[in-house]
């Protein structure tokens, strides 16, 4: 994805297709040279939000597609908003722009008015008054923009976080779980060798996953039922995944240094070296000097009535310090030590555990949502040899993968259905030749569409809306439904690879053929 350029050389249409093809993440800002600009937001190639010129969503994108002059710039590190306003896919947006009249270029005509204003200084007050009159409605149009960010962002409760975490490099902030494909997000973080944390905040709970070079070190989850409800490991990851799948709360993805993540990890899993130390009788500076002399790698946590302070040590040196009130990482422990002014503040020191703990098996918990389809395919692939599958069309919903070569169904099936091939061939060969006219009208197309929509929901979960809409709008005929299925691989869905959509389309075609 180009970082900058001109629309004359690279039109917006090409930029959108490039961002989608390269699975880019960031903000694309487009300017038409007449004071108008539009910002488009991408997450792994998915265009999910657009804002500019008092427009948002699809309208803002279509409007910008009309611009042939101006410039653009792409910021891969820009903070992404939580809004999801773009509903159509990129091909649909381009088609809409091509079909709609280009009214945008007519608007920029302030230049001719600038000349008479410069010539006649006496008349200047009148146009200024007009500008003021026009300025007010413009502000009213922009008033709805507080949608940026979530309407309600849950806040971590004091003393109820699994562990207080520091601020860092924000990759994604307040991502609504309702449009995040959690398995895809974790897979991306693993591939990129991510070091940092993923935090979940809901009204009732909070969770944390610590990553080190792409590996999930640990997961923590506090269900907020009571003060002792903190769980770790697989159980915590299961609760975390359940909340995300149900669309509860928001996610933050924040990058940190390796030393800080190690410190947070040790803060979680290591046994206390010193615990229940009251600030009233501890000389904190002397304690830190002692830990420094011993080259301690670990953490010091201070819990008071006003907040929590964390000091991370790496081989005796201060890796960073922060508090629950001020999350910014400091190279001095002063703010954390200030909590010791409360004589009842509790101090806990943990040393790094020499025992190496294996990283979490994320796929075992989170990957379960993608396994049912594969498991079903495997089970049905093993099913054909028994005598029962003689009625192949109704009981073989997964032959989807095999009919990938429609021109040669007999030869493609010989390896697995050798003994039943003579019976399977007539049913599949007769369907395309005679039934379209005679049997087609007798089929219950609405129930078939409902069945295909259920397949989409099983495969895509809460990402299935667009697919279901396309199927629901299809003409109730064999040709109409086949045409709708053919559109599925070209749909742009957040965190969903096109290969996954292609496989779903193949499975739907096979299911459709089983009804003929």
């Amino acid at each position: 994805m180009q970082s900058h350029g001109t629309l004359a050389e690279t039109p917006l249409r090409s930029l959108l297709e490039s961002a989608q093809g390269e699975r880019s993440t960031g903000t694309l800002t487009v300017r038409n040279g007449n004071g108008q600009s539009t910002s488009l937001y991408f997450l792994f190639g998915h265009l999910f939000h657009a804002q500019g010129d008092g427009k948002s969503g699809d309208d803002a994108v279509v409007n910008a597609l009309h611009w042939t002059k101006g410039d653009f710039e792409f910021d891969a590190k820009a903070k992404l908003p939580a809004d999801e306003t773009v509903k159509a896919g990129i091909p649909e947006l381009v088609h809409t722009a091509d079909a709609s009249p280009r009214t945008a270029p007519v608007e920029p005509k302030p230049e001719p008015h600038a000349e008479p204003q410069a010539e006649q200084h006496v008349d200047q007050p009148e146009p200024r008054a007009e500008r003021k009159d026009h300025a007010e409605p413009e502000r009213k149009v922009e008033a709805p923009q507080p949608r940026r960010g979530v309407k309600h962002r849950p806040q971590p409760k004091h003393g109820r976080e699994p562990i207080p975490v520091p601020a860092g490099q924000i990759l994604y902030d307040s991502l609504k779980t309702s449009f995040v494909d959690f398995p895809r997000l974790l897979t991306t973080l693993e591939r990129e060798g991510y070091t940092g944390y993923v935090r979940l905040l809901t009204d009732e709970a909070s969770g944390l996953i610590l990553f080190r070079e792409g590996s999930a070190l640990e997961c923590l989850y506090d269900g907020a039922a009571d003060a002792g409800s903190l769980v770790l490991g697989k159980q915590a990851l299961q609760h975390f995944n359940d909340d995300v799948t149900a669309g509860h709360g928001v996610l933050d993805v924040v990058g940190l240094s390796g030393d800080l993540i190690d410190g947070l990890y040790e803060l979680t899993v290591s046994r206390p070296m010193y615990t229940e130390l009251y600030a009233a009788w501890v000389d904190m500076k002397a304690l830190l000097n002692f830990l420094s002399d011993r080259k301690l790698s670990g953490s010091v946590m201070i819990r008071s009535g006003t907040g929590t302070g964390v000091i991370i040590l790496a081989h005796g040196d201060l890796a960073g310090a922060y508090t629950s009130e001020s999350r910014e990482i400091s190279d001095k422990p002063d703010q954390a030590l200030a909590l010791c002014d409360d004589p009842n503040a509790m101090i806990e020191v943990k040393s790094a555990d020499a025992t190496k703990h294996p990283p979490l098996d994320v796929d075992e918990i989170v990957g379960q949502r993608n396994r049912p389809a594969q498991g079903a395919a495997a089970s049905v692939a093993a099913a054909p040899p028994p005598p029962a599958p003689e009625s192949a069309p109704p009981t073989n919903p997964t032959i989807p993968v095999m009919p990938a070569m429609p021109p040669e169904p007999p030869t493609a099936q010989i390896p697995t259905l050798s003994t039943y091939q003579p019976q399977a061939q007539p049913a599949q060969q007769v369907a395309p030749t005679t039934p379209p006219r005679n049997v087609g009208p007798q089929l219950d197309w609405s129930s078939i569409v409902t069945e295909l929509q259920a397949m989409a929901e099983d495969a895509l979960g809460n990402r299935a809306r667009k697919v279901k809409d396309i199927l629901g709008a299809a003409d109730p005929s064999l040709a109409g439904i086949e045409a709708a299925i053919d559109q599925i691989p070209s749909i742009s869905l957040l965190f969903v690879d096109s290969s996954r959509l292609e496989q779903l389309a193949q499975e739907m075609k096979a299911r459709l053929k089983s009804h003929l």
Side-chain angles (χ1 to χ4, degrees):
M1 183 71 178
Q2 293 177 252
S3 59
H4 61 276
T6 64
L7 295 178
E9 296 178 352
T10 310
L12 180 56
R13 177 184 309 189
S14 300
L15 293 172
L16 296 179
E17 293 171 350
S18 176
Q20 184 178 39
E22 299 174 16
R23 298 183 59 79
S24 302
T25 294
T27 301
L28 175 65
T29 303
V30 185
R31 292 174 286 267
N32 68 354
N34 294 309
Q36 296 177 318
S37 66
T38 296
S39 296
L40 303 99
Y41 302 90
F42 296 85
L43 188 59
F44 301 114
H46 176 76
L47 176 59
F48 68 94
H49 179 50
Q51 187 101 24
D53 287 339
K55 298 182 176 65
S56 63
D58 295 6
D59 291 341
V61 181
V62 171
N63 182 53
L65 280 167
H66 288 150
W67 299 345
T68 56
K69 297 180 181 179
D71 60 86
F72 68 87
E73 60 181 352
F74 182 76
D75 185 357
K77 297 182 179 180
K79 181 178 177 180
L80 299 179
D83 282 346
E84 186 182 16
T85 59
V86 177
K87 304 303 180 184
I90 289 176
E92 300 171 64
L93 294 169
V94 172
H95 176 74
T96 302
D98 290 342
S100 61
R102 300 187 177 188
T103 56
V106 182
E107 296 179 4
K109 289 186 178 180
E111 296 179 1
H113 296 285
E115 295 178 1
Q117 289 174 5
E119 294 174 1
Q120 299 178 0
H121 298 282
V122 180
D123 296 335
Q124 284 182 357
E126 294 180 2
R128 284 181 183 172
E130 290 177 2
R131 288 180 184 175
K132 290 181 180 179
D133 292 339
H134 290 293
E136 292 180 2
E138 287 178 3
R139 290 177 183 173
K140 290 179 181 178
V141 172
E142 294 176 358
Q145 290 185 355
R147 292 178 182 175
R148 299 193 123 179
V150 288
K151 294 179 181 178
H152 170 64
R153 173 183 165 84
Q155 295 298 320
K157 300 176 178 62
H158 169 55
R160 295 309 313 274
E161 287 183 89
I163 55 174
V165 290
Q169 180 186 4
I170 299 176
L171 284 92
Y172 309 115
D173 179 44
S174 298
L175 284 176
K176 290 188 289 188
T177 56
S178 58
F179 69 88
V180 170
D181 187 322
F182 194 42
R184 185 65 190 172
L185 173 61
L186 296 185
T187 299
T188 302
L189 297 179
E190 289 174 350
R191 288 178 179 175
E192 294 180 353
Y194 170 71
T195 297
Y197 63 81
V198 178
R199 177 169 63 169
L200 167 70
L201 292 174
T202 77
D203 289 328
E204 302 297 334
S206 58
L208 198 68
I209 305 177
L210 302 176
F211 279 86
R212 183 74 151 84
E213 297 177 356
S215 296
L217 299 180
E218 186 57 270
C219 180
L220 307 86
Y221 182 89
D222 184 356
D226 54 64
S229 60
L230 178 66
V231 293
L232 305 176
K234 292 181 181 179
Q235 184 181 1
L237 186 58
Q238 184 66 64
H239 291 316
F240 195 118
N241 181 56
D242 290 344
D243 274 348
V244 175
T245 304
H248 297 158
V250 298
L251 290 175
D252 298 328
V253 183
V254 180
L256 290 177
S257 68
D259 286 341
L260 286 173
I261 283 296
D262 289 342
L264 293 176
Y265 175 68
E266 299 301 341
L267 190 64
T268 305
V269 302
S270 298
R271 293 182 178 180
M273 180 177 175
Y274 306 113
T275 187
E276 296 185 359
L277 304 178
Y278 281 92
W281 46 267
V282 173
D283 185 339
M284 283 302 298
K285 291 185 178 180
L287 175 61
L288 291 180
N289 288 334
F290 170 73
L291 298 177
S292 178
D293 292 340
R294 293 193 59 177
K295 305 296 183 184
L296 177 79
S297 291
S299 62
V300 178
M301 180 180 287
I302 305 164
R303 292 187 181 274
S304 75
T306 58
T308 302
V310 177
I311 301 172
I312 306 293
L313 299 173
H315 305 291
D317 296 327
L318 180 66
Y322 60 95
T323 68
S324 57
E325 299 302 313
S326 175
R327 305 277 175 159
E328 294 300 324
I329 302 169
S330 173
D331 57 359
K332 295 181 180 180
D334 298 347
Q335 287 186 330
L337 294 179
L339 297 173
C340 292
D341 292 342
D342 177 3
N344 293 318
M346 299 296 293
I347 302 163
E348 183 177 68
V349 181
K350 288 187 174 183
S351 175
D353 190 351
T355 305
K356 296 296 182 182
H357 299 273
L360 282 177
D361 185 356
V362 174
D363 289 338
E364 183 178 353
I365 303 299
V366 180
Q368 287 180 358
R369 287 198 294 167
N370 296 330
R371 289 179 183 173
Q374 298 174 356
S379 63
V380 180
E390 288 186 355
S391 55
T395 60
N396 241 346
T398 64
I399 286 191
V401 179
M402 294 185 176
M405 301 174 61
E408 300 178 325
T411 56
Q413 296 177 355
I414 285 176
T416 57
L417 300 176
S418 55
T419 58
Y420 301 99
Q421 189 64 30
Q423 298 177 1
Q425 282 180 357
Q428 294 184 356
Q429 290 176 350
V430 173
T433 55
T434 55
R437 294 181 181 178
N438 300 327
V439 181
Q442 300 175 5
L443 295 178
D444 186 352
W445 294 113
S446 62
S447 63
I448 292 176
V449 168
T450 301
E451 184 179 350
L452 297 178
Q453 289 176 328
M455 290 179 63
E457 192 163 351
D458 289 341
L460 304 176
N462 57 8
R463 311 252 65 79
R465 181 180 57 82
K466 287 185 180 179
V467 176
K468 293 168 68 175
D469 289 347
I470 289 176
L471 292 170
D475 181 70
S477 64
L478 176 61
I481 295 178
E482 284 182 336
I485 294 175
D486 288 338
Q487 295 180 44
I488 293 175
S490 64
I491 299 174
S492 174
L493 295 179
L494 186 67
F495 288 118
V496 178
D497 285 334
S498 58
S499 59
R500 189 171 165 190
L501 295 174
E502 290 173 0
Q503 181 180 356
L504 176 61
Q506 290 178 1
E507 293 173 358
M508 286 183 174
K509 288 180 179 179
R511 181 69 63 88
L512 182 60
K513 288 182 180 179
S514 70
H515 289 283
L516 301 178

